[in-house]
């Protein structure tokens, strides 16, 4: 149960995870999550991370959600 293991498990899910979901689960700030992606996942562990951005329109407002997922 480390936070690192928790985040990796979240990113392994077929639907991946958003930064907001990760911040709620770990208590980290969003910039800490992005730093973890770049520093720990990519550089130290050599894992591939994909990003999927989806846009939704609701009541004439467009919003987007970015989901991250580990590849492989």
């Amino acid at each position: 149960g480390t936070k690192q293991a928790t985040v990796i498990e979240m990113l392994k899910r077929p639907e991946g995870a958003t930064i907001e979901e990760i911040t709620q689960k770990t208590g980290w700030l969003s910039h800490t999550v992005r730093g973890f992606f770049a520093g720990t996942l990519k550089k130290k562990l050599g894992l591939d991370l994909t990003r999927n951005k989806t846009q939704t329109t609701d009541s004439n407002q467009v919003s987007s959600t970015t989901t991250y997922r580990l590849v492989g």
Side-chain angles (χ1 to χ4, degrees):
T2 64
K3 289 182 182 181
Q4 176 176 321
T6 300
V7 174
I8 289 173
E9 286 303 313
M10 292 176 76
L11 295 171
K12 284 183 178 178
R13 300 182 305 193
E15 69 275 15
T18 65
I19 288 181
E20 182 178 277
E21 291 172 331
I22 295 169
T23 59
Q24 289 174 356
K25 188 76 169 182
T26 61
W28 293 344
L29 297 175
S30 58
H31 70 275
T32 305
V33 174
R34 288 190 295 273
F36 175 77
F37 287 172
T40 301
L41 293 182
K42 290 183 178 183
K43 290 182 182 177
K44 288 185 181 177
L45 300 177
L47 300 174
D48 290 326
L49 192 65
T50 61
R51 183 177 74 173
N52 184 33
K53 189 172 186 178
T54 56
Q55 289 188 339
T56 56
T57 304
D58 187 23
S59 301
N60 295 326
Q61 290 185 342
V62 177
S63 62
S64 64
T65 303
T66 304
T67 305
Y68 298 87
R69 190 171 60 87
L70 286 175
V71 179

